[in-house]
Amino acid sequence: RIVLDSALPPLCRTLATGSPRLMTLMARLCAFLALAMGQARSLPNILFLMADQHRHDAIGAGSRTPNLDSLAADGARFGMHFSSTPTCTPARAAILTGRSPWRHGMLGYGVVAESYPQALAATLAALGYQTAVIGKDHFGWNKTSNTGISHGFESLQIYDGLGNGLANGSEFDDYDQWFQKQRPGESPLKSGGLGWNDWRAAAYVYEEQLHPTAWTGRNAVDKLKSLTAQDQPFFLKVSFHRPHSPYDPPQRFLDSTASPARRPAKSSDGWDEQFRQCARRGARDTWCGEMDDKALDLT
């Protein structure tokens, strides 16, 4: 039986006898945790930036991403780095747990589990980090406590981009609640009548400061100032919902962005016919890749 510091996770505080190999491994891990917690001031701060559905080639030459270009120039760019899955919530579960879809249990789109044996933020919190998330999590919303499901994050300011943006929707998150204070009774999705999986685009109809991207960035800056003023390392995840649809940038971005030079590629051999489920139900939807052919024209 090995007993370690009471501030460590329960598994480390008391290790019952078992497999010698497992005991050795866990003892080393817990010794590392104890050392790290004793040297919390030397741990680096971590700012984790991410954007939803940002294509790998929408950066650098031919794109307007000066801040990302600056980060790449001052750091490293991984040109052969692949996601374990191209689908929304399974990819987020992989980031959360460090496991592949076969290991975390989500092979396709669905609801992220409310808890896992190991989670990124919880692990870092055990090392002495302050943990915070701003923007899109898509880890679930607890309507009883009126907060996002934490998974180890101590501070949450969530905009998942789900529901209708109103109190009667499927998720009335932190951004939605803030927006209703600014524009009572109005819909955040008013711009062009766009939906969450629409291929069309429209200019944002409200003041730019009300846009979810502006809200996320503004709150991230405020949180960074707060965290850096404290004598404790931090892990801050800032997750931008856009460029996930709806495609609703402020008009000035539409005006200053060149139109594509060529028509998007389209399947012509029928391989995607099996996925045309929405049309069979009587409604076309980009969820099934069912775009009107004329929507792909550049004229």
Side-chain angles (χ1 to χ4, degrees), residues 9 11 26 29 33 92-99 103-104 112-124 151-152:
L11 182 61
M26 291 305 300
L29 173 61
L33 287 174
R92 290 180 177 275
I95 294 173
L96 176 64
T97 64
R99 297 186 172 195
R103 297 296 183 182
H104 64 57
V112 174
E114 293 190 5
S115 64
Y116 292 95
Q118 292 86 31
L120 176 60
T123 299
L124 290 172
H151 288 287

Side-chain angles (χ1 to χ4, degrees), residues 40-41 43-48 129-132 134 219-236 238:
R41 293 185 180 182
L43 294 174
N45 294 324
I46 303 172
L47 173 60
F48 178 26
Y129 277 87
Q130 298 179 79
T131 56
I134 297 172
N219 280 287
V221 170
D222 290 343
K223 192 65 177 180
L224 269 175
K225 292 178 179 178
S226 172
L227 290 170
T228 54
Q230 302 178 45
D231 189 22
Q232 185 179 353
F234 65 80
F235 170 64
L236 174 60
V238 180

Side-chain angles (χ1 to χ4, degrees), residues 18-192:
S19 162
R21 184 177 180 182
L22 177 61
M23 288 289 292
T24 300
L25 176 63
M26 291 305 300
R28 288 177 177 175
L29 173 61
C30 293
F32 168 76
L33 287 174
L35 176 63
M37 292 180 70
Q39 299 177 345
R41 293 185 180 182
S42 66
L43 294 174
N45 294 324
I46 303 172
L47 173 60
F48 178 26
L49 300 171
M50 63 183 295
D52 200 354
Q53 295 188 181
H54 189 151
R55 286 174 57 105
H56 73 93
D57 55 356
I59 185 175
S63 301
R64 296 181 58 204
T65 54
N67 294 316
L68 292 178
D69 297 343
S70 177
L71 288 173
D74 293 339
R77 181 172 180 179
F78 298 89
M80 297 295 291
H81 192 111
F82 297 90
S83 171
S84 61
T85 171
T87 310
C88 179
T89 46
R92 290 180 177 275
I95 294 173
L96 176 64
T97 64
R99 297 186 172 195
S100 69
W102 286 105
R103 297 296 183 182
H104 64 57
M106 295 189 71
L107 300 183
Y109 182 85
V111 178
V112 174
E114 293 190 5
S115 64
Y116 292 95
Q118 292 86 31
L120 176 60
T123 299
L124 290 172
L127 288 172
Y129 277 87
Q130 298 179 79
T131 56
V133 56
I134 297 172
K136 184 168 183 175
D137 240 3
H138 212 162
F139 293 159
W141 186 264
N142 188 322
K143 290 187 176 181
T144 301
S145 63
N146 195 34
T147 186
I149 296 175
S150 70
H151 288 287
F153 282 106
E154 300 162 329
S155 172
L156 300 91
Q157 293 173 276
I158 302 298
Y159 171 64
D160 278 338
L162 299 172
N164 59 10
L166 302 173
N168 63 358
S170 59
E171 181 175 319
F172 192 50
D173 57 33
D174 297 302
Y175 168 80
D176 291 334
Q177 294 176 44
W178 173 83
F179 182 91
Q180 287 304 313
K181 292 178 181 178
Q182 314 306 311
R183 291 288 184 275
E186 296 193 46
S187 171
L189 295 173
K190 183 178 179 180
S191 304

